[in-house]
Structure formats: structure tokens, C-alpha cells
């Protein structure tokens, strides 16, 4: 599953990132801590359009568009 | 002079620290070869002469995503001038995040002075840190500071002064595969592991959670409440720009007209009199009259940014705005340009992506700014009798309202077209950190405002003044044979107006309208005064307007007046807007492109209106 499908307030682990590694988006992902193995939690979704998303990762809040959330493969932490 | 650079991640309180360390005067230039702002100011040091402090753009890591970050990276890797010590700003309330940059800077071989900021917050939330441990692990001097309370600033200056004294520039050697290596997710995870290990030793008592941010966000990001907060704030901003700036602007205008009369009495020579009173004082007035609105808007934006709300607003609006091809934050410049395009264009600075910023600048002139109101009021009154009502609504009111809605729709369409046409750089991302809420510091706010005002007056002001003088000359020359100043109907403006008759005749404009359009380039509302002069209508402003309404009603057909309204909706005015777009975009391409497309659009739309109504 991808990050846009995450249930609110549930912990997930990042499995993969589908993004061109040299693109600015990929750099920003790495800067904010989006790398495989990292834990994320979806905190909020913008109303009406259900886009963008607000997630918590490594102690910071990050807003990301649906197109960006689609790039992040996750699995639920049991 | 020696320079010291301030480096740090975004949202760690770097700019607040910069302001707290330096005096009130700051210089803003560009880094060589790029349009990235370089802020510098003098920092006095206990060891004597002091140094220049450079505020590098914020960056998360050496693995950079934007042009601003690239400039900061190039500084750190010695690609651009790198002649002095570094102060690295670490947020004591976000160590987990901010130590990453420290690790990379150490890898490059730098030994920065570490300023551990937000100590007031850290202490308030019960955090206890082992500074010596951090100093030991990093090999750097660590100074806990707070830009809010001023704690630790003297010690920081003392240490920076010492390191300046001993500083030896060394060559930064980067392994050729370094840039590739730091992009590897394994490298990133490994650094995170190091950070977690360090933090275990450095943090003795952890922070209590930031309950304020959590509570405020539960309102600010609430599906319904969030929009109430957002629209409430935007309404407040709109109200401020329309109503509160007005009295200040009236005061400036009154003061300048008083100055004009006083100075005017001293000058008997008619040419000199007109040059100084109408040309120079009028032109300077045309620059500073924008200041109340610019300052109010920037006070508002800066306040929201300092508090941390701007990111939340972007979050709420991003989905909608992206459908128009612009990011959520573009709401603010687009909305504020309804008061005046000048602050609107300046506000596009909050958009980081250059292409999106250009698109926003190009469509801003379409929004109905307040200077168009007197023109629309006059023309609507000349076409529609005030007694005509549709139910409870007057037709005049409906017409005025459609003059807001129509341009809004056009700007959406134009933005969509521009997005397709303009050269595509990297796709813009939302991906951003939402910082914790913080109380803004007044000194910081005031200083940013002074800086914006100074930039506007010194940079855009010059072009506005110059162009105002050109328009003054067109309206005032040639002079009468007896040496007195000419009238507009015998001026070069009229010559231009007549020359343009073939182009504007299909829109129903005669040479008198064309002539009045020339000074209206200076400021739209001048059209009313210019038409009054052309039709020799006398009296004070109010009686002038009502007389002019009836003159226009009898002189021109409905089709012509409607087409003139449509022209005013789309046409590229005023020159100040053009000047500011030139200044903000850094080239003539954007303003000329804007002028070209709006001229064509205005001509076509006015032509269609005229033909349909004829």
C-alpha cells in the first residue's frame, strides 16, 4: 500500500520510494527522513479533496501532496 | 572585512538569531550569478572591529532540492567565497532533525561554532541537555542561546570573535562520489542511527510534548473549523488592505498636495513649477502612496509566517489551488492584489518555485485592484441608471460584482494556459515541514517590514518615478507659445491618442478617450481626472464625477462605454505594476510578456463587447 491509503493515527513503516533518485523531490524526501525503514504516522488529511496529507516522521510534521504520498510504499506496524 | 556565515536548517530560528546578533541595518544583494537573496549585516564583537554576518539560505542537508539550498551548499563546499568561520544553528527543541546537517558539515571538515537555539522553549518544556557531551561528540564549541530572551548571545559573539582570530581558510576537498553517496538511502539511515546514538547521550531529560502546537492544529487543520480560521484571517487581511490603508494613503496624498502647493508658491517659472509639483512631487507620491498597503500586507504575511500559520494555510488550500496550476500559498498574493497589484506582486516571494511565481505575477494584473474602482463606478453610472433594480439588487451593484468575478475567472484560465505554455522546470512539490507554532518577535517583524519598504522604495521606486516623469512630459508638452504649460488636448499625449485612433476605433474609442488613456497608464484612477480635463468639466471631485457621468452618457454610446470598461478589466496598467514585475522577475521578459498578452486580450474582449452591443 502507499502512504495516501494510510489510516489516521496508525503507525506504518516505509518500504520503498518510487521516485527518480536525482530529482529535487527525492532529495526533499531524504532531507525530511523519508527513507526505507523509517516510521511514519498520518496525522490529518485536508478536507473535501482529501489532498494533501499531514504526516509525522522523526519528530517533525510534514505536509505532502497526494501525488507525493503515492510515491511512498508503506506497511502497517503490527 | 572578515565575514562569518550563519548556516542552518529551515525553521530552526536562524533568521531570528541573525536579527538578534546584528544591528538594525542590513544589506540585501544577490549571490553571484543567481537570483538568491544574500542578507548581510554588521555584527559587533567584543574583540574589536566586528565582522560581517552572512545569513545563508536554510538547508536541510548537502543533498539539495532547490536553488536556494544549492547556494548554501556551494558556500559550505567552498565553491563560492568561503573566507570565514561558520555558525551552525541547531534547534534545541528539534535536535533529532537538526543534527543531520551538523554531521555533514563535520564530514566536510568544518568546525563550526554551534548555536543551540530556542533555549527558552527547551527550558520551558523541561528539557535537560548535556552541552559538554554534544561539544565532545562534535568537536565544536556549543553555546546555548535564545533569540527571544537574548540568553547566550554575548558568549556566542565572544567565541565567534576568537574563532575569527584563529581562522585559517582551508581547502574543502570533496570526494568525487560524495554527492552520489549522500543520496543513498543507506547513507541517510546510517546518519539517523548516529543521531539517535548521540541523542541518547546528550538528552538527559527529554522535552515534554508541544501541546500548544497540537491544540492549535486541532483547530487550524479541522475540516470545518480550519476553513473558518483561514477565511477569517484572509477576510481580515482584505479588510485591512481596503479600509485601514485608506486613511494612511489619504494622509500621504494630502501631505504631498500641501507640499506641492507650498513649494509651488516659491516657483514662478511655469515649466519648473509643473516639473517639480506635478512631475517630481507627484511621481514620488506615486511611489510612497503604495507603502501603507505594502507594509500592512507584509506585516500580515510575516506575522503568519513567524507564527507558523502560513504552512497550515497552504496545507488547507493546496488541493484546490493546484487544480489551477498554483500552490496553496498563491492564495495570498492573488487575494491581496485585489487591493493593489504592487503588494500582490511583492507577495509572490512566498512562492519558492520560479515558474509558479512567474505565473502568479503574470495573472495578478488581471485582478480588479482598488484603483479601478473610481473608473468602474464612473462608467457604470454612465451606462446603468441607479434606479434599475433586479429584486433587491441594483443593476449597478450586479455590474460591479461581475467586474470582480469575471477577472477572477479570466485569471484562472490564463494561469491554466500559462502553465502549459511556460518552459517546464522541475514539477513543483508541496512536500514541506509544518513548523511548530511560535510567538513572533516584534523586533524581527519590524525589521523585516523596514527591509521590504526599503527595497520597494529604492528598487521599484526608481522605475516608477522615471516612468511617471515620462508620462508627465507627454501630458505637459508642447508648451503654449506664451510659455505657460500646455493642456492635455494639445499635448503629445493627444498626439499619441490621435495616432492610435485607427487601432482603437474598432473598440469605439475616439481620440479623447485614447488621450485620457495615456495618463491612466500612470494610475488608472487618473482616467477620471483626465477625461474631466479633456471635456473641460470643472469643480471639486464629486461634482466633477457626476457632471462627467452625464457628459459621457450623452457623448458616447452604451457600446463604447461598455467596451471601455472591458478595456480597463484587461489592459496592462499601471506602469508601477510593470516596474515591480520587472524588478521582482529580474528581467524585462515577464513584464513585456504580461503587457503583450493583456493588450491582445483587452483589445479582443473590448472589440467583442463593442460589436455585440452596437
Amino acid at each position: 500500500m502507499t502512504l495516501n491509503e494510510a489510516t489516521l493515527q496508525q503507525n506504518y513503516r516505509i518500504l520503498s520510494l518510487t521516485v527518480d533518485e536525482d530529482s529535487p523531490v527525492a532529495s526533499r524526501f531524504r532531507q525530511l527522513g523519508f527513507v526505507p525503514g523509517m516510521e511514519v504516522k498520518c496525522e490529518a488529511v485536508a478536507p473535501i479533496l482529501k489532498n494533501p496529507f499531514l504526516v509525522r516522521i522523526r519528530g517533525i510534521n510534514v505536509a505532502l501532496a497526494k501525488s507525493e504520498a503515492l510515491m511512498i510504499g508503506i506497511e502497517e506496524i503490527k | 572585512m572578515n565575514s562569518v556565515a550563519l548556516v542552518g536548517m529551515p525553521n530552526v530560528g536562524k533568521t531570528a538569531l541573525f536579527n538578534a546578533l546584528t544591528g538594525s541595518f542590513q544589506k540585501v544583494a544577490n549571490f553571484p550569478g543567481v537570483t538568491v537573496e544574500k542578507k548581510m549585516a554588521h555584527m559587533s564583537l567584543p574583540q574589536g572591529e566586528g565582522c560581517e554576518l552572512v545569513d545563508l539560505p536554510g538547508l536541510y542537508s548537502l543533498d539539495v532540492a532547490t536553488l536556494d539550498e544549492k547556494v548554501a551548499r556551494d558556500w559550505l563546499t567552498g565553491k563560492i567565497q568561503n573566507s570565514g568561520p561558520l555558525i551552525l544553528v541547531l534547534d534545541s527543541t528539534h535536535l533529532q532533525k537538526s543534527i543531520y546537517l551538523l554531521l555533514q558539515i563535520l564530514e566536510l571538515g568544518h568546525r563550526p561554532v554551534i548555536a543551540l537555539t530556542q533555549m527558552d522553549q527547551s527550558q520551558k518544556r523541561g528539557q535537560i541537555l548535556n552541552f559538554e557531551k554534544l561539544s565532545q561528540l562534535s568537536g565544536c564549541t556549543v553555546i546555548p542561546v535564545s533569540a527571544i530572551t537574548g540568553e547566550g548571545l554575548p558568549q556566542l559573539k565572544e567565541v565567534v570573535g576568537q574563532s575569527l582570530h584563529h581562522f585559517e581558510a582551508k581547502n574543502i576537498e570533496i570526494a568525487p562520489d560524495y554527492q552520489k553517496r549522500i543520496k543513498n538511502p543507506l547513507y541517510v539511515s546510517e546518519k539517523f542511527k548516529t543521531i539517535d546514538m548521540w541523542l541518547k547521550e546528550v538528552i538527559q531529560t527529554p522535552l515534554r510534548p508541544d501541546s500548544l502546537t497540537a491544540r492549535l492544529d486541532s483547530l487550524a487543520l479541522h475540516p470545518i473549523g480550519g476553513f473558518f480560521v483561514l477565511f477569517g484571517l484572509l477576510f481580515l487581511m482584505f479588510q485591512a488592505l481596503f479600509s485601514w490603508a485608506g486613511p494612511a494613503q489619504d494622509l500621504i496624498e494630502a501631505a504631498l498636495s500641501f507640499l506641492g502647493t507650498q513649494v509651488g508658491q516659491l516657483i514662478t517659472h511655469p515649466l519648473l513649477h509643473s516639473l517639480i509639483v506635478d512631475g517630481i512631487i507627484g511621481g514620488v507620491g506615486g511611489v510612497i502612496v503604495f507603502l501603507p498597503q505594502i507594509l500592512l500586507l507584509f506585516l500580515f504575511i510575516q506575522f503568519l509566517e513567524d507564527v507558523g500559520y502560513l504552512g497550515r494555510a497552504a496545507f488547507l488550500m493546496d488541493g484546490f489551488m493546484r487544480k489551477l496550476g498554483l500552490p496553496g500559498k498563491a492564495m495570498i498574493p492573488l487575494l491581496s492584489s485585489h487591493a493593489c497589484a504592487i503588494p500582490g506582486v511583492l507577495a509572490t516571494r512566498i512562492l519558492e518555485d520560479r515558474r509558479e511565481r512567474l505565473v502568479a505575477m503574470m495573472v495578478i494584473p488581471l485582478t480588479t485592484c482598488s484603483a479601478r474602482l473610481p473608473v468602474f463606478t464612473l462608467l457604470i453610472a454612465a451606462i446603468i441608471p441607479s434606479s434599475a433594480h433586479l429584486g433587491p439588487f441594483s443593476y449597478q451593484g450586479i455590474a460591479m460584482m461581475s467586474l470582480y468575478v469575471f477577472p477572477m475567472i479570466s485569471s484562472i484560465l490564463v494561469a491554466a494556459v500559462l502553465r502549459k505554455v511556460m518552459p517546464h522546470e522541475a514539477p513543483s512539490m508541496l512536500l514541506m515541514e509544518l513548523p511548530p507554532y511560535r510567538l513572533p518577535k516584534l523586533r524581527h517583524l519590524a525589521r523585516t517590514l523596514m527591509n521590504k519598504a526599503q527595497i520597494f522604495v529604492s528598487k521599484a521606486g526608481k522605475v516608477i518615478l522615471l516612468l511617471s516623469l515620462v508620462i508627465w512630459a507627454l501630458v505637459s508638452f508642447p508648451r503654449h507659445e506664451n510659455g505657460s504649460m500646455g493642456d492635455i488636448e494639445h499635448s503629445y499625449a493627444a498626439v499619441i491618442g490621435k495616432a492610435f485612433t485607427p487601432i482603437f476605433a474598432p473598440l469605439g474609442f475616439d481620440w479623447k478617450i485614447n488621450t485620457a488613456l495615456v495618463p491612466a497608464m500612470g494610475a488608472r484612477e487618473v482616467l477620471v481626472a483626465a477625461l474631466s480635463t479633456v471635456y473641460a468639466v470643472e469643480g471639486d471631485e464629486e461634482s466633477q464625477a457626476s457632471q462627467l457621468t452625464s457628459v459621457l452618457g450623452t457623448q458616447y454610446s452604451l457600446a463604447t462605454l461598455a467596451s471601455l470598461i472591458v478595456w480597463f478589466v484587461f489592459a496592462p496598467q499601471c506602469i508601477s505594476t510593470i516596474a515591480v514585475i520587472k524588478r521582482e522577475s529580474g528581467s524585462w521578459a515577464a513584464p513585456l510578456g504580461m503587457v503583450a498578452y493583456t493588450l491582445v486580450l483587452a483589445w479582443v474582449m473590448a472589440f467583442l463587447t463593442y460589436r455585440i452591443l452596437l
Side-chain angles (χ1 to χ4, degrees), chain B residues 277-331:
Chain B
V277 175
D278 303 329
I280 295 179
I281 296 183
V284 169
V287 176
I288 61 174
V289 82
F290 291 118
L291 279 180
Q293 282 185 335
I294 291 180
L295 290 179
L296 262 176
L297 179 65
F298 275 102
L299 175 68
F300 193 79
I301 293 179
Q302 197 61 44
F303 179 80
L304 291 188
E305 177 142 34
D306 287 359
V307 167
Y309 183 76
L310 211 53
R312 273 77 181 178
F315 176 79
L316 286 174
M317 289 312 296
D318 201 77
F320 301 99
M321 293 299 289
R322 240 165 246 275
K323 290 201 182 289
L324 316 179
L326 288 170
K329 279 192 281 187
M331 277 291 283

Side-chain angles (χ1 to χ4, degrees), chain B residues 152-163:
Chain B
L153 298 180
Q155 291 91 315
L156 181 61
K157 286 187 175 188
E158 174 79 38
V159 172
V160 170
Q162 286 164 11
S163 67

Side-chain angles (χ1 to χ4, degrees), chain B residues 116-227:
Chain B
L116 208 53
T117 55
Q118 324 276 11
M119 279 312 292
D120 53 314
Q121 277 296 315
S122 160
Q123 283 153 3
K124 216 180 281 173
R125 287 165 57 195
Q127 184 175 243
I128 299 174
L129 297 173
N130 186 341
F131 306 122
E132 272 157 45
K133 195 83 211 171
L134 181 59
S135 172
Q136 220 175 43
L137 288 165
S138 60
C140 306
T141 314
V142 177
I143 313 283
V145 299
S146 163
I148 304 282
T149 63
E151 174 200 337
L153 298 180
Q155 291 91 315
L156 181 61
K157 286 187 175 188
E158 174 79 38
V159 172
V160 170
Q162 286 164 11
S163 67
L164 247 179
H165 208 66
H166 306 176
F167 186 77
E168 285 168 44
K170 50 180 171 284
N171 268 340
I172 304 289
E173 300 225 1
I174 307 161
D177 66 336
Y178 185 71
Q179 285 302 335
K180 191 161 173 54
R181 195 157 64 86
I182 59 174
K183 285 181 191 291
N184 189 332
L186 291 175
Y187 167 91
V188 179
S189 320
E190 185 204 316
K191 285 282 167 288
F192 285 161
K193 273 188 202 122
T194 313
I195 293 171
D196 292 342
M197 257 158 49
W198 282 28
L199 290 184
K200 255 186 215 142
E201 300 191 54
V202 171
I203 300 179
Q204 294 181 328
T205 311
L207 279 173
R208 282 193 294 271
D210 183 2
S211 58
L212 178 71
T213 293
R215 260 182 291 156
L216 286 177
D217 266 346
S218 66
L219 175 63
L221 302 178
H222 187 273
I224 299 158
F227 280 107

Side-chain angles (χ1 to χ4, degrees), chain B residues 417-430:
Chain B
V417 171
L418 284 178
R419 192 171 47 126
K420 294 254 154 38
V421 173
M422 281 174 66
H424 199 87
E425 289 165 24
S428 137
M429 51 188 166
L430 172 62

Side-chain angles (χ1 to χ4, degrees), chain B residues 31 130 144 195 214 266 397 454 527 557 580 611:
Chain B
F31 282 98
N130 186 341
I195 293 171
L266 306 175
Q454 187 196 330
L527 181 88
S557 67
V580 168
R611 283 287 133 187

